[in-house]
Amino acid sequence: MNAKRTYQITAVTAILLLLAIGLHFSGLAESQKWTLITATVIAGTPIAWKASQALRMKAFSIELLVTIAVIGALFIGEYVESAAVTFLFLFGAFLEVRTLEKTRSSLKSLIDMAPLEATVIREGETMTISIEDVIEGDRVIIRSGEKVATDGVIVTGNATVNESAITGESVPARKAIDDRVFSGSIVDNGFIEVIADRVGDDTTFAQIIELVEEAQETKSKTQKFLDRFATVYTPAIVILSILVYIFTRNIEMTLTFLVVACPGALVISAPVSIVAGIGNGARHGVLVKGGEIMENLAKVDTVVFDKTGTLTKGRPEVMDIYTVEGDENKLLRLVAEAEMISEHHLGQTIVKEAQKRGITLINQPNDAEIIEGNGVRVTIENKILTVGNRKLMAARDIVIEESIEAYAVQREKAGSTAIFAAIDGVVQGIISIADQIRPEAKEAIQELRDNGVKQVIMLTGDNRHTAELVGKQLGLDHIHSELLPEDKVAWIKQLKAAGHIVAMAGDGINDAPAIATADIGLAMGEGGTDISMETADVVLMADRLDQFSHAHALAKATILNMKQNTYFAVTTVFILLAGVLFGKVFLASGMLIHEVSVLLVILNAVRLMRYTKKERKRNIPNRVLQPE
């Protein structure tokens, strides 16, 4: 039954109860009796219906306990109690639904932000069509104040774009030709034309909504346990109530025992916290894919980072081109043509540098071979071109002269990555590429430590000198460089075997195996590849590491909140049951306290929706786990 229908029945019942009070003071006892019975039937019918539906599924529900108690109260003539119990239960259900809607507000706000129409140019004509009719390759126009309808690349114009729905970043981003935009973002100021490359359910925005919906329905281990517990608990309470009657012969006490033993607050104690936590994450650009992942994330004590695109911005630039002989632009052209087949950050950086210099890339590589984590080997202009790191050179028996090695080491110590280029087995030059450390990385890593992470490790395929320089600047505990994808997996397995709960953060295809192996896999959503995002348990939509520290702290706060709710619910039930057995709690008052406990559990969970960086820092001293 929906919230509107529940509200209507509750309102009618409330009016009848007020009328019964008036009849009591008027001395019309018989009229009062039938008014209370009517109120009981109106409010009790939907409760009994839900109980019968559960019984058909061979399940014992909370509604069944209330229905039994209400029928018993009517049978013994406790009409005030029966009417009060049904009203309070129904009113409590209405308040629960309304309050729970707040915990799902992030998902609702996302859905509300979904674009409905798009303006496209087809065959020279401008037309407005439904979002479902947009196809890949359409030229989409977005003006100031309009929502971006598809994922795509800007081909004309520039604009300030609010991407908070995608990345959680409140500061609008300046977008120009060749920049990507995402469905669901809003053009604050400007005009752009976009070539759609992802439409409908394939857009990043649609996938975010789907992920959040799935995450909110995915149960944590605690939720699964409580569900199993409820299936045993409810019939056990019925049996205990029968025993209470056998020993006391007090039907009213027995019915009260049934009502106050309802595990309402206990059943929702875990899911309401998980949903609120996931909703908070979504609002801050962090997609946590389910309750069990939230629980595991809270337990993480070891964090492993890839370097390029994770600890660094992932927007490297060519700093220098060294050639043994000949023109550096000629070498750059050959290497760029070879790297056109690669999706690696560094390879694409070389291609962009050639394009920036106005070099035309005319040759398609033949006999192309991508050696993951090492480089590429292709045939161009009847020459065998080998481009990559030292491992690739050694694997192909290519000798690096001392002078070339000395230059490479010099560049690496300065923070660059040296890419060796060999033609027909002879090193002809080095392309030095540098990337900048993310400005928020150091603070984010410190926050992770403050929240109980014992060690932070870097696993990278980059050279030792560059890796050590980055690791030193960020204060990392361990640095392992020049690794292949399988080496990263081996390190993750070793850490897990040592008893650590490991989170792995990366952004590339070569990181996907390690992300899948870790207890918690994290992917960079904006700059990451599709495979790493699909493999990951947590996606950082704005590619900001402070989103990771927020997600980790939020997970710990969510699990703490869930425990608070569970302990409170259990304690309330025990206190109420003791009050019943000692004759201090009665049917209506017991139901009132029960419903108040349910609402307090929900309101406690709703606090997670306001969980921010400020609150993280305020709470750290109270919940930090100091390293051993």
Side-chain angles (χ1 to χ4, degrees), residues 142 268 333 368 423 535 597:
I142 308 104
I268 68 165
R333 176 180 63 80
I423 299 175
T535 306
S597 71

Side-chain angles (χ1 to χ4, degrees), residues 456-529:
V456 182
I457 299 169
M458 180 202 295
L459 300 180
T460 178
D462 211 342
N463 68 83
R464 176 172 59 87
H465 300 293
T466 303
E468 287 179 350
L469 181 63
V470 172
K472 184 178 179 181
Q473 290 175 338
L474 294 177
L476 305 184
D477 298 300
H478 303 287
I479 299 142
H480 304 287
S481 57
E482 300 177 12
L483 301 178
L484 297 173
E486 55 265 34
D487 298 326
K488 293 182 180 182
V489 171
W491 274 109
I492 297 292
K493 288 181 177 178
Q494 185 176 324
L495 289 166
K496 290 175 67 176
H500 296 291
I501 307 298
V502 183
M504 167 71 192
D507 72 319
I509 291 175
N510 61 328
D511 295 319
I515 288 172
T517 304
D519 295 293
I520 291 291
L522 292 105
M524 313 302 271
E526 189 174 309
T529 59

Side-chain angles (χ1 to χ4, degrees), residues 13 67 149 169 183 199 204 229 282 333 440 586:
T13 308
T67 301
E169 178 60 58
S183 171
V199 298
T204 302
F229 175 77
R333 176 180 63 80
E440 77 281 1
F586 303 98

Side-chain angles (χ1 to χ4, degrees), residues 318-339:
V318 173
M319 307 303 293
D320 183 67
I321 299 176
Y322 168 85
T323 59
V324 175
E325 58 182 27
D327 180 20
E328 69 176 41
N329 279 352
K330 181 180 179 181
L331 179 67
L332 176 61
R333 176 180 63 80
L334 289 172
V335 173
E337 288 172 344
E339 291 288 3

